Amino acid sequence: MQINFDAIRASHRIEDVCASRGIELRKAGKSLDAPCLLHQEKRGRAFTVFPDKQRWRCYGKCDKGGDVIDLVAALDGITVAEAAEKLGNGTNWFHPAPARRHKAVTQPPALLPEHQLERMRLAAHRLANSPTLCERIAAARGWKPETVRHLALLGDIGHEPGEVLFYFRTGLKARTRERKGEWKLIERRPKPEKDVYGSAGRECWRQSLLHPGISRVIFAEGEPDAISLIDAGLESDGKTLVVALASASTLPDPEPFRGRECVICGDNDEAGQKSTAKLVALLAPVARSVRVATLTMEAA
């Protein structure tokens, strides 16, 4: 597929990408500056944006620069082509600013240690660049291979021998496929301490893709169910985000969902019903609306 880099650059301003990642730019003459998120700068403002040229540069430790595509590639640890494709999709390329804006200049976009981030990057890259793997994973659940590849390009899922990895900002899940297309959870990073990760320790899968343009959030109880909803096209309007609970007993911080329409698609069993009831009670005080739907494409 041929990528129109010029059109992508023209469609996305660097300032908007910075705002979506929690980079608070400050006017400095004709340019804008901020602490550099790429090398987690705690003192100084080495990251500089030139709005008239739509270019950026880190004059500190990174010594990097470029256009909006280069910035997304650097922030997400992906190739320029993958960044262009992510921007070109027109949906789900944003990442949220941290809930507490005064921490935006020091909090990195991901909370995993670097070796776990690198593991996830490699796994996602491996899956995105293997049509055979995408087809194999998709076939077990009746998904479209392009849905699997899209999620891999976003960094949400990846592949290791015998395992499918799911990315959370605070941990990785690994599942192995069993009979009838079911995935069994085989690894989960221990729940982080709140004083280390704050409310980000209680996040849904794909919650890092939440941005101000999202008006509706659909909650699935597990990642495979969430992928089924994505595969059905429920994110095609660009205003809907499908997420999955980290587990039936791990509920997210409700504040990021304030003012949004929330739809809960829990499992129809005792554990699922209990989880749904707790999630409704949690979201009701902050959401614009909360409703429960059965796990069917029409209801969701």
Side-chain angles (χ1 to χ4, degrees):
M1 180 182 67
Q2 188 173 5
I3 300 174
N4 189 333
F5 287 91
D6 290 336
I8 292 170
R9 293 186 188 99
S11 299
H12 302 290
R13 295 185 62 80
I14 293 177
E15 299 94 312
D16 294 334
V17 173
C18 289
S20 74
R21 304 299 179 98
I23 301 173
E24 297 185 349
L25 296 170
R26 184 181 67 186
K27 189 171 179 59
K30 294 183 179 180
S31 61
L32 305 169
D33 64 21
C36 183
L37 192 61
L38 294 172
H39 68 271
Q40 301 176 33
E41 183 179 25
K42 295 183 179 180
R43 296 180 180 85
R45 305 179 71 85
F47 182 83
T48 303
V49 172
F50 304 95
D52 56 337
K53 298 180 180 179
Q54 281 299 291
R55 305 284 295 181
W56 63 275
R57 175 74 184 271
C58 173
Y59 289 97
K61 183 178 178 180
C62 294
D63 193 26
K64 294 180 179 179
D67 57 25
V68 67
I69 301 174
D70 297 312
L71 179 58
V72 172
L75 288 170
D76 292 352
I78 57 180
T79 67
V80 170
E82 289 169 335
E85 185 167 355
K86 181 182 286 192
L87 288 166
N89 287 333
T91 60
N92 290 339
W93 59 271
F94 289 90
H95 287 244
R100 297 181 181 180
R101 294 189 61 81
H102 68 278
K103 290 187 177 181
V105 296
T106 57
Q107 180 171 310
L111 301 173
L112 288 178
E114 184 58 36
H115 73 278
Q116 288 280 44
L117 281 173
E118 184 62 19
R119 176 188 177 188
M120 188 66 217
R121 291 185 192 118
L122 291 174
H125 185 268
R126 182 182 301 113
L127 180 56
N129 288 279
S130 174
T132 300
L133 282 176
C134 291
E135 291 171 3
R136 187 188 309 165
I137 292 171
R141 297 285 295 228
W143 300 326
K144 295 182 283 292
E146 52 266 33
T147 298
V148 175
R149 183 171 187 269
H150 172 68
L151 291 170
L153 285 170
L154 291 175
D156 293 329
I157 63 174
H159 185 271
E160 291 183 341
E163 301 175 3
V164 175
L165 292 186
F166 296 84
Y167 169 72
F168 291 75
R169 291 202 309 162
T170 53
L172 300 180
K173 276 189 180 182
R175 293 178 180 267
T176 181
R177 196 173 71 247
E178 293 190 326
R179 293 181 179 178
K180 299 181 180 179
E182 295 299 324
W183 277 337
K184 180 182 178 181
L185 177 63
I186 60 173
E187 179 184 316
R188 175 85 189 278
R189 188 180 175 202
K191 184 178 179 180
E193 295 295 332
K194 186 174 181 180
D195 60 351
V196 176
Y197 292 105
S199 61
R202 296 183 290 123
E203 286 195 353
C204 297
W205 178 58
R206 304 186 78 240
Q207 187 175 323
S208 61
L209 299 175
L210 194 65
H211 65 81
I214 296 294
S215 59
R216 182 173 74 152
V217 180
I218 301 177
F219 296 82
E221 191 169 315
E223 298 89 1
D225 288 339
I227 297 176
S228 293
L229 295 172
I230 296 166
D231 189 68
L234 295 187
E235 291 188 343
S236 59
D237 61 358
K239 299 179 181 180
T240 298
L241 178 67
V242 178
V243 301
L245 299 181
S247 71
S249 60
T250 304
L251 301 180
D253 176 19
E255 189 59 31
F257 306 102
R258 178 176 294 277
R260 306 177 199 267
E261 176 190 353
C262 296
V263 181
I264 304 171
C265 300
D267 291 348
N268 191 26
D269 54 23
E270 184 177 355
Q273 291 171 356
K274 288 182 179 179
S275 176
T276 295
K278 291 179 180 178
L279 188 56
V280 168
L282 186 73
L283 294 171
V286 300
R288 185 173 80 240
S289 65
V290 180
R291 66 187 179 95
V292 178
T294 56
L295 193 57
T296 64
M297 302 309 108
E298 293 79 16

